[in-house]
Amino acid sequence: MMDLQSTLNWSGALRRQLVATPELADWLQAQSKYEVTPTVIQDWFDALRHQEYTEEALKKQLRLVRRRVFFTLMVRDVHSRASLAEVSTAMSFLADLSVNKAYEWVSHALSEAHGTPIDPKTGLPLEMLIVAMGKWGGYELNVSSDIDLITLYDGEGETQGRRPRSYHEYFGRLTQRLLPILSQTNAFGHVFRTDLRLRPDGDVGPLAWSLNALENYFLHQGREWERYAWIKGRLIQVKSHADSQPQYAQQRLENLRTPFVYRKYFDFDALASLRDLRERIRQDWERKVIAKDSLESTHNIKLGDGGIREIEFVVQLNQLIRGGRWPSLQQQNLHAAVHAQVQADLMDDELARRLLNAYDFLRRTEHFLQYKEDEQTHLLPTDADTYARLAYSFGLSTDSFTQQLNEHRQFVHQSFQDAFRIAGVEKKTRTTTAIAPVLPSPPISSSEHAELEAQSQQLLHSNRIQRLPPHSLKRLQRLLPLLRQAACATDHPVETNKRLHTIMEQIASRSAYLALLLEYPETIQRMATIAGASPWAAHYLAQYPLVLDSLIEWKDLLEAPDFTALAEQLRLELDACVLPNGQADIERQMNLMRDLQHQVSFQLLAQDIAGLLTVEVLADQLSALADLLIEETIYRTWPLAQPRQQPPDPPTPQFAVIAYGKLGGKELGYASDLDLVFLYDDPNQDQVEKYVRLGRRMVSWLSTMTSSGRMYEVDMRLRPDGDAGLIAVSIDGFEKYQSQQAWSWEHQAITRARFVAGDPQIGARFEKVRQDILLQKRDPIAFKREVITMREKIAQAHPNKSDLFDIKHDRGGMVDIEFMTQYLVLCYAHRYPALLNNLGNIALLGIAAEHQLIPRTLSQQAIQAYRTFRRYQHNLRLQGAAVARLPLHQVQAERDAVMALWQAVMN
């Protein structure tokens, strides 16, 4: 049993309460041994219910519950038995419970007097929406705090009771009557003081807002500080009518709140406003201090230097800027927000640890200050005796308490000053690695200069630019000289400037991108270098401008992707895409995966243009990215393949994805299709339809065009029976088809096939089937005729009527090399098992030469030709060529080498 004396020594509020209700002492000593949980609070509320349930009885019941919660937490906290999380969660739950009960009472009373408002969409009773703001929204409420709330409703109309009221009047009156139940002080005290000033228009606005009005306000009047405040906004689950369906209005509110607070693209448009907000926080505090002529700057642990509000700003800054891109950052709770930023590699572990330690110390100090007299205060005692008793209540000496307090506040204040650096958006231009040494721009001719100016004027007079709002147009006008200057530093200034203008025309309607380029002018030169090097890259930037922000940290952009870390972070972000009803937000998840694919592809594109990647390494990286995304797609679509509302059965599908073609051979390009086959291995025949649905869902998930674009085009024609077959095939059926029905060209295709995602056991079984097919003995002459026939069909399907050489399809090109490699594997793998592995054409030709299946010299020449062809093909695509064709004399030696090997192998 806990001794109350140490708590009584500190808290005058407890001393007065025990004088008024001495029986509380024994109760506290018994109850303070146990954690104060939401279940405990609910039990206390139920136990205190009066038989005659009136408004006054409800007020008494809530105040008595609050008394129990407050004093029990006090005793536990002073004895170091309660964590900050226990205290804050208990007070926040008490607020949720109190608001819920007050709402139920007032709603029933008003419905009897005026009739029940009806939702025009459902014809069912219309509930009010109550949003918890501030610390309450984050489940971090103080022990003696106001609660900030906003009340809303969906739809317009008029009640049909004895005294009808418009919905505007009804919900305004409901709010007005609800507040005194919580805040009015009577013989039993109060529950919570209430504050509605965070609603739109503050004190001058209506008490309750319709969602239509809120939407209009967010679009036209919402300010940065309101976005900052709405980070904490949390919808309280209130319901006073058994047959109502508030989830539709709740979903609509979330659809309004999320894009208002969290912009889809990194919100550089808001940086200036956020800097102003930080400065206003500082200046407002300085004015208060001067006006009061006091020592509050050092004594206020919430608003003063190094106080709680500065920690909140450091944490919430990253949320505002990046939360739209990374849903896991969309946290109301500060601890959860910090952990999410560490997980996303946006805050280092040591900084996070020190910020949270400071936050916990300051918040606990704040609670002790409020325990003293049950007042909402944040001021440290100014007299030495009270200050010493505060330290003693903490279990510390005065000097030790002061030292820890000062260390925490100094660190917090320095972090507040460095907030934009911590968030990675410091305004000053940093020294970074350039894509290439930036040489002095060669002088351009007067005609080129005139052409650059003409391009700028043409852009400014285009219809799309003419429709821009004035502030965006001014930003663009400031950018145009910088774009021309950057273009002049490239090899082809006029063409580069034209490409840059195309990008600007696409992104100008999103002023955040213009703000990014002005905020970080070094990104303009990097963008110009990439656009000047490749029209395809310029088109990619225009099509997916969300990748522009990656140009800021060029050093990071040039690092190899960590696919393990990317997969972990992607799963975390997708798990955070949740609707208010708890179900997955599928549209956001699909967009998020597309955004990641574009970001990593652009990262590889930048490295490619910088000359850091060979074509082979690039293809390996793009293939690894596709593997990652396919694996995650299985995980996301399996629940969607189940009958409605049923959990996944089995939890993990017995399902595998097999890649053919370019992905199978790890030769994927930036815009390659995915040739896929879906296999399953489930003895339960009732599951077949699930796997078929899973296959359809996967194709849709990967290939559907959303607002973020398309992830991949998917080709399923290589599955057994092609378009006529089921989209998912059992592994037994696949084995039977390959051994008894497959055409020779299907066996050629399987030489490049590999397991990429799903159940590894099915993957291993597939590999055995593949090797069994490759190990079959074939008549070399008869099989050669089949391969030659198929090669002729391929040539006929890709006629080349130009004078140029088609690197891929013409005789002596890449397809010839692929067909020869497949022939050698299928004819000789049974004699030389080294040919069984899917190692790629280059490695397999080398193995064939080692085993004297082909002349070593011809093998080496063909390998070099294949590398050259791939490099030319890749470079031509970067230059925007639809087909890879060159003058024959440019690749005559390579073509001759391939033809010589063809004669040696296929003659």
Side-chain angles (χ1 to χ4, degrees):
M1 187 172 292
M2 294 187 190
D3 180 11
L4 299 183
Q5 192 56 50
S6 57
T7 312
L8 288 166
N9 289 341
W10 172 246
S11 175
L14 180 58
R15 291 195 297 271
R16 289 191 300 274
Q17 188 62 59
L18 292 186
V19 169
T21 55
E23 68 278 5
L24 182 63
D26 291 339
W27 187 92
L28 277 176
Q29 286 185 320
Q31 294 296 323
S32 58
K33 294 184 295 185
Y34 308 108
E35 183 179 354
V36 182
T37 65
T39 302
V40 168
I41 296 172
Q42 183 68 57
D43 289 344
W44 289 346
F45 176 82
D46 294 340
L48 289 166
R49 182 184 176 105
H50 197 275
Q51 288 183 344
E52 185 182 350
Y53 202 56
T54 63
E55 183 171 324
E56 289 305 312
L58 175 61
K59 288 180 180 180
K60 177 181 177 181
Q61 183 183 7
L62 290 174
R63 281 152 182 77
L64 291 177
V65 172
R66 193 265 179 186
R67 178 188 297 173
R68 289 187 174 187
V69 173
F70 177 77
F71 288 113
T72 307
L73 290 173
M74 178 193 298
V75 173
R76 288 181 55 75
D77 206 353
V78 170
H79 283 82
S80 300
R81 296 289 186 88
S83 65
L84 176 64
E86 178 187 334
V87 175
S88 299
T89 300
M91 293 305 300
S92 300
F93 177 79
L94 176 63
D96 286 6
L97 177 69
S98 302
V99 168
N100 209 318
K101 297 303 179 182
Y103 168 72
E104 288 179 9
W105 177 266
V106 177
S107 177
H108 288 144
L110 289 183
S111 292
E112 289 180 8
H114 306 294
T116 301
I118 299 299
D119 186 338
K121 302 182 189 68
T122 64
L124 299 173
L126 184 64
E127 303 281 3
M128 188 162 75
L129 304 175
I130 302 177
V131 182
M133 303 290 284
K135 287 188 173 63
W136 180 28
Y139 247 63
E140 303 161 312
L141 203 57
N142 290 329
V143 292
S144 186
S145 176
D146 294 357
I147 56 171
D148 297 291
L149 67 158
I150 295 174
T151 57
L152 305 159
Y153 60 94
D154 190 16
E156 299 293 349
E158 188 174 85
T159 63
Q160 301 299 313
R162 291 177 287 109
R163 290 176 288 162
R165 292 288 185 271
S166 69
Y167 290 179
H168 174 77
E169 294 174 300
Y170 179 93
F171 287 108
R173 179 63 177 154
L174 198 161
T175 304
Q176 191 176 41
R177 284 193 55 183
L178 181 150
L179 301 183
I181 295 177
L182 304 171
S183 59
Q184 194 176 72
T185 301
N186 63 17
F188 303 98
H190 70 283
V191 191
F192 291 101
R193 294 172 293 272
T194 55
D195 192 336
L196 288 168
R197 288 176 296 176
L198 288 178
R199 71 188 187 275
D201 290 335
D203 285 338
V204 300
L207 293 179
W209 279 63
S210 73
L211 290 184
N212 287 340
L214 182 71
E215 179 177 20
N216 186 66
Y217 183 88
F218 279 172
L219 285 173
H220 301 293
Q221 295 176 261
R223 290 156 290 184
E224 294 308 320
W225 73 262
E226 290 176 292
R227 291 181 57 209
Y228 183 80
W230 273 87
I231 287 176
K232 295 283 193 183
R234 175 175 61 89
L235 194 62
I236 305 301
Q237 297 299 318
V238 297
K239 188 172 181 179
S240 64
H241 303 283
D243 56 341
S244 65
Q245 293 183 354
Q247 62 267 30
Y248 301 109
Q250 292 170 354
Q251 180 62 57
R252 187 184 173 200
L253 172 59
E254 190 61 19
N255 291 342
L256 296 178
R257 186 191 77 92
T258 300
F260 173 64
V261 178
Y262 300 110
R263 308 295 159 83
K264 178 179 179 182
Y265 304 99
F266 280 1
D267 197 0
F268 294 96
D269 205 13
L271 283 179
S273 298
L274 290 169
R275 287 195 179 92
D276 291 343
L277 177 59
R278 180 179 64 171
E279 186 62 16
R280 194 162 75 244
I281 289 172
R282 188 183 63 79
Q283 290 176 351
D284 286 352
W285 177 241
E286 287 181 353
R287 279 195 296 270
K288 289 178 181 177
V289 171
I290 293 170
K292 293 186 176 182
D293 189 23
S294 69
L295 297 175
E296 281 202 11
S297 178
T298 56
H299 285 250
N300 193 310
I301 61 168
K302 177 182 179 181
L303 306 178
D305 293 344
I308 295 165
R309 186 162 64 172
E310 293 188 352
I311 300 175
E312 292 171 339
F313 183 86
V314 172
V315 175
Q316 291 174 241
L317 177 63
N318 239 336
Q319 292 181 276
L320 276 182
I321 295 171
R322 293 182 166 84
R325 180 83 63 85
W326 294 343
S328 67
L329 303 184
Q330 297 177 16
Q331 306 285 345
Q332 288 104 345
N333 181 273
L334 186 133
H335 271 261
V338 170
H339 291 312
Q341 291 178 35
V342 171
Q343 181 72 37
D345 204 23
L346 296 173
M347 183 182 291
D348 67 61
D349 290 327
E350 179 62 14
L351 173 63
R353 183 187 65 80
R354 293 192 65 181
L355 279 177
L356 290 179
N357 285 347
Y359 182 75
D360 289 357
F361 187 91
L362 293 172
R363 285 296 310 276
R364 191 158 181 248
T365 302
E366 180 183 46
H367 286 165
F368 273 59
L369 296 174
Q370 295 175 359
Y371 289 142
K372 190 173 187 301
E373 301 297 341
D374 193 5
E375 293 176 344
Q376 187 183 17
T377 181
H378 314 285
L379 291 176
L380 293 167
T382 54
D383 68 282
D385 179 63
T386 308
Y387 188 88
R389 285 194 292 119
L390 171 63
Y392 178 78
S393 298
F394 256 72
L396 298 170
S397 68
T398 303
D399 290 344
S400 180
F401 177 81
T402 302
Q403 180 183 353
Q404 290 188 40
L405 180 64
N406 290 342
E407 287 175 356
H408 286 311
R409 295 186 68 178
Q410 287 167 10
F411 177 76
V412 168
H413 191 56
Q414 185 60 53
S415 299
F416 178 68
Q417 292 177 322
D418 292 343
F420 288 88
R421 179 189 60 77
I422 292 169
V425 289
E426 194 171 21
K427 188 168 187 177
K428 67 179 182 179
T429 300
R430 293 169 294 281
T431 302
T432 49
T433 306
I435 193 168
V438 180
L439 302 175
S441 303
I444 63 172
S445 65
S446 58
S447 62
E448 286 179 313
H449 187 273
E451 178 64 19
L452 294 176
E453 290 286 352
Q455 287 175 346
S456 296
Q457 290 303 312
Q458 185 178 2
L459 176 66
L460 287 172
H461 288 91
S462 68
N463 290 333
R464 181 176 291 183
I465 299 303
Q466 287 290 305
R467 293 196 295 268
L468 291 177
H471 73 278
S472 294
L473 186 58
K474 287 179 181 178
R475 282 179 174 168
L476 181 60
Q477 289 169 336
R478 288 170 57 197
L479 276 172
L480 289 177
L482 301 177
L483 295 172
R484 292 195 296 270
Q485 181 182 356
C488 288
T490 66
D491 292 338
H492 305 286
V494 173
E495 183 59 34
T496 299
N497 196 55
K498 181 179 178 182
R499 294 172 190 171
L500 290 174
H501 284 188
T502 300
I503 295 171
M504 288 300 104
E505 191 169 17
Q506 291 296 319
I507 71 173
S509 60
R510 297 172 181 150
S511 62
Y513 292 131
L514 304 181
L516 181 155
L517 295 171
L518 290 171
E519 186 86 17
Y520 301 96
E522 66 269 26
T523 61
I524 298 173
Q525 184 62 60
R526 293 167 187 161
M527 180 174 65
T529 307
I530 291 174
S534 165
W536 188 89
H539 176 73
Y540 196 88
L541 278 168
Q543 190 174 13
Y544 306 118
L546 89 164
V547 303
L548 280 173
D549 60 80
S550 59
L551 292 173
I552 297 172
E553 296 295 345
W554 187 250
K555 182 180 177 182
D556 293 344
L557 194 66
L558 296 188
E559 291 180 354
D562 182 342
F563 288 107
T564 301
L566 284 170
E568 291 174 356
Q569 188 62 34
L570 176 63
R571 180 152 296 188
L572 194 70
E573 301 303 335
L574 294 175
D575 287 344
C577 295
V578 180
L579 296 169
N581 62 7
Q583 295 182 348
D585 188 336
I586 293 171
E587 183 179 359
R588 284 181 71 196
Q589 290 179 333
M590 292 175 71
N591 281 334
L592 199 65
M593 289 182 68
R594 282 152 177 74
D595 291 344
L596 176 73
Q597 196 248 6
H598 300 150
Q599 289 157 11
V600 178
S601 295
F602 180 71
Q603 181 178 358
L604 296 171
L605 175 61
Q607 296 174 22
D608 182 13
I609 290 173
L612 301 179
L613 301 177
T614 64
V615 175
E616 290 81 8
V617 172
L618 172 65
D620 284 346
Q621 299 279 56
L622 289 170
S623 299
L625 174 62
D627 291 356
L628 180 160
L629 293 169
I630 292 170
E631 184 73 60
E632 190 62 32
T633 298
I634 296 175
Y635 181 78
R636 297 296 158 184
T637 52
W638 179 233
L640 306 179
Q642 311 304 311
R644 198 168 189 83
Q645 304 298 326
Q646 291 187 15
D649 177 31
T652 302
Q654 295 167 272
F655 181 89
V657 178
I658 309 301
Y660 281 68
K662 288 188 178 298
L663 180 57
K666 293 188 178 181
E667 294 184 354
L668 208 63
Y670 292 118
S672 297
D673 295 353
L674 304 184
D675 294 295
L676 303 178
V677 169
F678 299 146
L679 303 178
Y680 65 88
D681 186 18
D682 195 321
N684 185 352
Q685 287 300 306
D686 295 336
Q687 297 283 65
V688 173
E689 183 57 33
K690 284 186 184 179
Y691 290 111
V692 171
R693 282 200 300 268
L694 174 59
R696 292 197 193 102
R697 285 283 191 174
M698 284 196 63
V699 171
S700 174
W701 191 282
L702 291 166
S703 61
T704 297
M705 178 67 76
T706 73
S707 59
S708 289
R710 180 181 281 111
M711 207 170 348
Y712 296 103
E713 292 280 7
V714 177
D715 191 334
M716 300 294 298
R717 289 175 295 177
L718 288 175
R719 68 187 186 270
D721 294 323
D723 287 338
L726 290 174
I727 200 167
V729 184
S730 73
I731 184 66
D732 292 334
F734 179 83
E735 182 177 17
K736 182 178 179 181
Y737 178 88
Q738 288 292 336
S739 60
Q740 298 179 15
Q741 297 174 256
W743 297 84
S744 293
W745 66 265
E746 291 178 286
H747 287 173
Q748 286 181 252
I750 208 173
T751 63
R752 303 184 74 196
R754 66 184 177 91
F755 163 73
V756 297
D759 188 332
Q761 291 184 338
I762 302 177
R765 177 105 182 264
F766 161 78
E767 182 58 24
K768 184 179 184 305
V769 171
R770 191 186 80 89
Q771 294 196 9
D772 287 346
I773 295 299
L774 269 52
L775 288 168
Q776 290 178 5
K777 293 183 179 180
R778 293 172 175 82
D779 180 346
I781 303 303
F783 186 63
K784 187 179 297 184
R785 291 195 192 99
E786 293 183 44
V787 173
I788 291 172
T789 300
M790 178 54 61
R791 177 67 185 94
E792 290 172 351
K793 289 181 179 179
I794 295 290
Q796 292 169 8
H798 297 85
N800 178 11
K801 298 180 180 180
S802 73
D803 295 331
L804 301 175
F805 176 68
D806 191 307
I807 290 171
K808 182 174 182 181
H809 293 291
D810 280 357
R811 297 309 307 270
M814 295 173 69
V815 173
D816 277 1
I817 296 174
E818 292 167 359
F819 269 55
M820 286 187 286
T821 305
Q822 293 161 7
Y823 169 77
L824 291 168
V825 169
L826 289 165
C827 276
Y828 298 105
H830 70 282
R831 287 169 52 189
Y832 306 106
L835 292 168
L836 286 172
N837 295 322
N838 183 358
L839 302 175
N841 293 308
I842 291 173
L844 290 170
L845 286 176
I847 293 170
E850 287 176 9
H851 291 287
Q852 300 181 346
L853 295 173
I854 55 177
R856 186 176 296 274
T857 301
L858 290 182
S859 169
Q860 291 173 345
Q861 291 173 350
I863 287 171
Q864 188 56 46
Y866 190 68
R867 286 190 171 121
T868 301
F869 286 155
R870 286 189 67 188
R871 187 166 61 251
Y872 276 134
Q873 182 188 52
H874 178 68
N875 291 338
L876 285 167
R877 285 176 178 167
L878 283 181
Q879 294 307 312
V883 290
R885 292 175 180 172
L886 288 170
L888 180 57
H889 68 82
Q890 196 169 334
V891 288
Q892 185 69 60
E894 288 78 11
R895 180 180 184 273
D896 290 346
V898 176
M899 293 301 296
L901 184 60
W902 183 273
Q903 288 298 317
V905 175
M906 306 301 292
N907 189 349

